[in-house]
Amino acid sequence: MTRRPAAPCLIVLASLAREGCPVLALQLARHWQAEGLPVRVLTCFSGPDDLGPAFAAAGVPVQRLQLERGPARLLRLFWAGLGLAGPDRPRAVLSFPLGWHAPFAWGARLAGVRRVVVHAGNLPPVAEGRSFRRFRALVQLGRPVTHRLICCSEAVRQACLRDFGLRPAEAITVANACDPDRFARPRHPAVDGGPLLISVGRLDASRDLPTLLRALALLRQRHPRARLQLVGEGTARPALEALARQLGVADAVAFLGGRDDVPGLLAAADVFAWPALPLEGFGIALAEAMAAGLPVVATAVPACREVLQEGRCGLLVTPGDPAALAAGLAEVLAAPAAAAGRAAAARERARRDYGVAAMAGAYARCLGLRPVVLHVLRGLPAGGLETLALELLRRAPAAVESVLLNLDEGERSQAAPFEALARQGRLTLIERSGRDGPRLLLQLLPLLQRLRPQALLLYPFNRRSLWVALAARLTGVRRCCCAVQNLAPPAGPGRAAVARLLRWCARLGVVLVPCSRAAAASLPLAPAGRRPRLTPVLANGVAIAELARRAAEARQRRGGAGPLRLLTVARCDPLKDQATLLRAFAACRPDGPDWQLQLVGDGPTRPALEALAHDLGLGAAVVFLGRRDDIPELLGQADLFALSTSAAEGFGIVLIEALAAGLPVLASDVPACREVLDDGRAGLLLPPADPAAWARGLGPLLRDGDRRQALAALALAAAPRHDAGPMARRWYRLLGVR
């Protein structure tokens, strides 16, 4: 049977006026069309058709409803959404009208549209009393059928959470975008015509243009030849022209109307003025001016403070104050070197953060236009599995929508970095209670039916993962992989339980991916018959360059202050063996009295370890730091790293982190550590559970800085082969996505 092509995305707009939301929609439509993702546009209300030709040139069909005012339009919007049913039904709807989207969203979801996503471009108008209450009621009406609210700035997101009573997961932040390459032109301001100011945007009540005209009148007292260009059209133009005449600056203000040559106009100007009102959400024209490298003066409303990084990328002045705006413009003209520095930072920010590709990718992932990869964790504690998941999620291909299912919402000690990815629109985070067995299966079936993931990646290798794999098979998931991060027990009931897991993995078609040769060799595979597919070893990795940078900065801040530091990072549980390190350090301490042992980690064996340190008389020479999120910084401030662990160790990601930080490394001579340290060529291997042997290896390093330096050089040379980039690419190839 021939597979039907993917249905298009439908973008709903109020009109095609040349303003923020339609321009944003045009950018998305062009980018998606070029990627082969068809797009249609529906406009709801009568208004200017400025961008109609641009949508037509991009091959985007436009349908116009032209609804009139009155309650009847709610019913018409619902009916229009319901009319999406049929063979051309879109997979997703992106609505730019917020509030009015609600009846359309209900109709669309009843018509079978999988996702309705809504854009929030400005702060909610809470000051409008009764009008806002109606607006809030519409937003609440649409909540059950709205997948996400995409906010153009964090200021808008926080306001929506506060004023609409949304849960944090209901709204994400995706910054608006411009085309930095289009605006990155050589600047050529006139040298003999007086200072030229420019402002771009609709001439309406959405911006405080009267304050800008009054500021121009004040500025001309210092700079009589100062001029202003206003680019854009709108209902306020006659009133603004009248105000310019009243202020006596009509000859200095050029109303240019809508223009297609904005990059050239920006390149010829001296200053970009952005008189934003408190409800401003972002300002695409502001990002364009930043990309052009034009000095910016903007009002200090929340969105401008965020976009301009609290004044690092542009000068911020008091809103609604002509004198303050005039003073800011005069300051830019009087101090060109400082203005150029801010403009350079603004251009770099625009290129880094406001590109169309990144924005379009985030929107596409949220809309479900990309293939879905579902990652499954049993909780979000600080551990190796969670570190691996975080590295893979950060490196997901742009064409992939990442969803993380946390099966234990009660364990969230390491949730912050995952939530940060969710706020950026790079991850959908779903959390469930710790159910098991058939109850978990019944809970997962409707979820997987809605998500329709192309691939499933299981991090825990346990019985609960098998129920997830069964739900995936019943809902048609094509690929299912499971990370094998720990060694199987060598004997007893634990080994028998792993053998049963392997048989079920074979029945369900789960592909096992071992992180080390030791992990692969430990699996009790059946000698014959049905065996699960086992891939070649796929070693874990970390962000080598980023970790090295953070460690180097921390090392520079520390200087040579304080005692020398021996650091170990590991969970306090029976799998590890911090006790051997404590005893070895106590034996070596007379040779290194100014050394300090720092233990990072928490867990069930911590009280026993603290008691052992006390019994050994180590006192202040040992510091228990508990669970920490600043591991790169702690590595950078250390002088030596040690990992004393047991033969059950599956990999030891922290060893790679220590190598990347350029630390001399000691580790137990167990199979997993032997692999990471390349059989002792990247670090010193010592017999496990042997305090005397550890003391003999540790003592010379505590005394001899040259030995530590030689071992650190080996670590730096070995670190690049453990980079997370190649690792992530191999993982996504296994999952069938690029």
Side-chain angles (χ1 to χ4, degrees):
M1 182 177 67
T2 303
R3 187 179 177 186
R4 192 176 74 184
C9 172
L10 176 67
I11 298 178
V12 181
L13 291 164
S15 72
L16 297 184
R18 192 186 299 273
E19 56 186 0
C21 288
V23 169
L24 183 61
L26 179 61
Q27 291 173 330
L28 291 171
R30 283 172 171 165
H31 191 88
W32 289 339
Q33 294 271 112
E35 287 188 339
L37 290 171
V39 177
R40 288 186 287 149
V41 168
L42 173 69
T43 62
C44 296
F45 309 112
S46 59
D49 196 44
D50 305 335
L51 296 179
F55 278 100
V60 179
V62 178
Q63 178 186 355
R64 294 170 174 82
L65 284 181
Q66 297 196 350
L67 301 178
E68 301 301 327
R69 293 187 176 275
R73 62 180 169 180
L74 294 175
L75 184 59
R76 286 199 60 193
L77 281 168
F78 172 76
W79 191 254
L82 200 60
L84 297 178
D88 295 329
R89 178 182 61 219
R91 291 163 56 191
V93 168
L94 171 58
S95 175
F96 281 88
L98 174 62
W100 291 109
H101 77 283
F104 187 87
W106 273 103
R109 290 299 295 273
L110 291 174
V113 174
R114 286 172 51 193
R115 288 191 182 179
V116 176
V117 171
V118 186
H119 171 82
N122 290 303
L123 275 70
V126 293
E128 297 183 11
R130 184 177 175 185
S131 175
F132 172 70
R133 287 194 293 273
R134 288 198 299 266
F135 183 45
R136 189 179 192 278
L138 282 172
V139 174
Q140 296 298 320
L141 174 66
R143 282 180 69 184
V145 288
T146 301
H147 176 67
R148 286 288 187 280
L149 192 64
I150 297 184
C151 304
C152 63
S153 65
E154 186 60 22
V156 171
R157 179 176 178 270
Q158 292 300 326
C160 289
L161 295 180
R162 178 192 68 227
D163 299 328
F164 296 140
L166 304 181
R167 298 186 303 275
E170 292 183 80
I172 65 172
T173 300
V174 179
N176 288 346
C178 63
D179 183 352
D181 293 333
R182 179 170 175 250
F183 290 89
R185 299 185 179 189
R187 295 193 55 234
H188 51 86
V191 294
D192 57 353
L196 177 58
L197 319 178
I198 189 169
S199 191
V200 181
R202 292 284 297 170
L203 306 185
D204 56 23
S206 64
R207 292 189 304 134
D208 191 7
L209 293 172
T211 292
L212 177 57
L213 292 177
R214 293 186 176 96
L216 175 65
L218 295 173
L219 180 67
R220 281 171 64 86
Q221 295 175 11
R222 298 191 202 179
H223 298 274
R225 302 177 66 193
R227 298 164 293 143
L228 171 65
Q229 292 179 341
L230 292 177
V231 181
E233 281 291 357
T235 56
R237 177 167 178 170
L240 293 171
E241 290 174 335
L243 179 61
R245 290 192 296 269
Q246 178 185 338
L247 294 170
V249 295
D251 60 334
V253 181
F255 290 85
L256 302 184
R259 297 286 289 262
D260 294 323
D261 59 342
V262 172
L265 295 173
L266 293 175
D270 295 287
V271 186
F272 183 83
W274 188 249
L277 291 167
L279 294 183
E280 176 65 61
F282 183 88
I284 292 177
L286 177 59
E288 292 172 345
M290 293 167 64
L294 185 59
V296 170
V297 178
T299 47
V301 298
C304 293
R305 292 202 307 268
E306 180 179 336
V307 173
L308 296 176
Q309 293 187 315
E310 298 295 341
R312 178 174 173 267
C313 299
L315 199 63
L316 294 167
V317 299
T318 305
D321 187 338
L325 182 53
L329 295 168
E331 180 181 338
V332 168
L333 296 173
R342 290 189 295 266
R347 174 177 279 180
E348 176 59 28
R349 176 162 169 78
R351 177 167 295 278
R352 182 184 67 245
D353 299 334
Y354 298 145
V356 174
M359 177 191 69
Y363 270 82
R365 286 190 292 270
C366 191
L367 287 161
L369 302 180
R370 313 291 195 195
V372 175
V373 174
L374 178 62
H375 302 250
V376 181
L377 282 167
R378 62 190 168 196
L380 300 179
L385 288 174
E386 293 70 36
T387 300
L388 172 63
L390 198 56
E391 294 291 354
L392 292 180
L393 289 167
R394 284 171 172 162
R395 288 164 178 76
V400 167
E401 179 188 358
S402 298
V403 180
L404 173 62
L405 174 61
N406 174 19
L407 292 176
D408 186 0
E409 59 187 353
E411 174 52 86
R412 307 186 77 256
S413 57
Q414 190 68 4
F418 296 100
E419 291 173 339
L421 289 176
R423 285 194 300 272
Q424 297 164 15
R426 298 168 59 188
L427 171 67
T428 298
L429 178 59
I430 301 173
E431 300 190 85
R432 294 289 185 265
S433 60
R435 295 183 177 181
D436 206 349
R439 291 186 303 168
L440 177 61
L441 178 66
L442 294 175
Q443 185 183 57
L444 291 177
L445 285 174
L447 175 65
L448 294 180
Q449 189 65 39
R450 176 172 61 84
L451 291 174
R452 299 180 187 176
Q454 174 176 310
L456 175 70
L457 175 49
L458 301 163
Y459 292 92
F461 180 51
N462 57 21
R463 188 179 66 175
R464 185 176 297 178
S465 293
L466 293 178
W467 287 104
V468 181
L470 176 58
R473 288 307 182 202
L474 292 175
T475 52
V477 177
R478 292 189 296 169
R479 298 201 183 194
C480 182
C481 294
C482 183
V484 180
Q485 295 284 299
N486 291 312
L487 275 64
R495 188 167 184 83
V498 171
R500 288 194 296 272
L501 287 177
L502 292 173
R503 289 194 293 272
W504 276 105
C505 285
R507 293 187 181 100
L508 295 171
V510 178
V511 177
L512 301 180
V513 186
C515 66
S516 64
R517 295 190 300 273
S522 73
L523 296 175
L525 298 173
R530 185 178 289 272
R531 298 174 59 171
R533 178 189 164 196
L534 196 67
T535 72
V537 170
L538 206 170
N540 295 333
V542 299
I544 298 294
E546 173 67 11
L547 196 146
R549 179 189 64 79
R550 290 174 60 183
E553 290 174 354
R555 188 174 294 119
Q556 187 174 15
R557 288 194 300 270
R558 178 197 171 191
L564 298 175
R565 300 173 187 177
L566 169 61
L567 180 71
T568 186
V569 180
R571 180 169 167 76
C572 298
D573 65 21
L575 178 68
K576 310 298 181 182
D577 184 21
Q578 292 95 330
T580 291
L581 179 59
L582 282 169
R583 291 188 173 95
F585 182 70
C588 296
R589 194 183 172 206
D591 297 330
D594 56 347
W595 275 84
Q596 182 184 79
L597 172 58
Q598 296 181 338
L599 291 94
V600 177
D602 213 340
T605 63
R606 177 172 172 174
L609 293 171
E610 291 176 335
L612 176 61
H614 179 270
D615 293 343
L616 292 170
L618 291 172
V622 172
V623 179
F624 287 83
L625 297 177
R627 191 185 70 82
R628 295 287 290 263
D629 297 324
D630 56 343
I631 300 301
E633 285 72 24
L634 291 173
L635 290 167
Q637 294 175 357
D639 300 280
L640 185 61
F641 182 83
L643 178 65
S644 178
T645 187
S646 70
E649 179 68 59
F651 189 86
I653 289 180
V654 71
L655 286 175
I656 303 176
E657 295 174 333
L659 296 178
L663 280 178
V665 175
L666 300 83
S668 299
D669 190 8
V670 297
C673 297
R674 203 176 303 134
E675 285 185 48
V676 175
L677 296 182
D678 196 15
D679 291 324
R681 285 183 283 272
L684 184 61
L685 293 168
L686 299 170
D690 188 339
W694 268 79
R696 289 193 297 273
L698 181 61
L701 287 172
L702 295 180
R703 294 189 298 270
D704 193 339
D706 290 339
R707 288 195 183 189
R708 294 196 301 272
Q709 190 172 357
L711 206 55
L714 295 176
L716 283 174
R721 65 189 178 94
H722 296 289
D723 187 64
M727 172 203 70
R729 288 192 289 273
R730 287 184 62 193
W731 265 109
Y732 284 106
R733 281 197 295 271
L734 280 175
L735 296 169
V737 294
R738 302 281 179 167

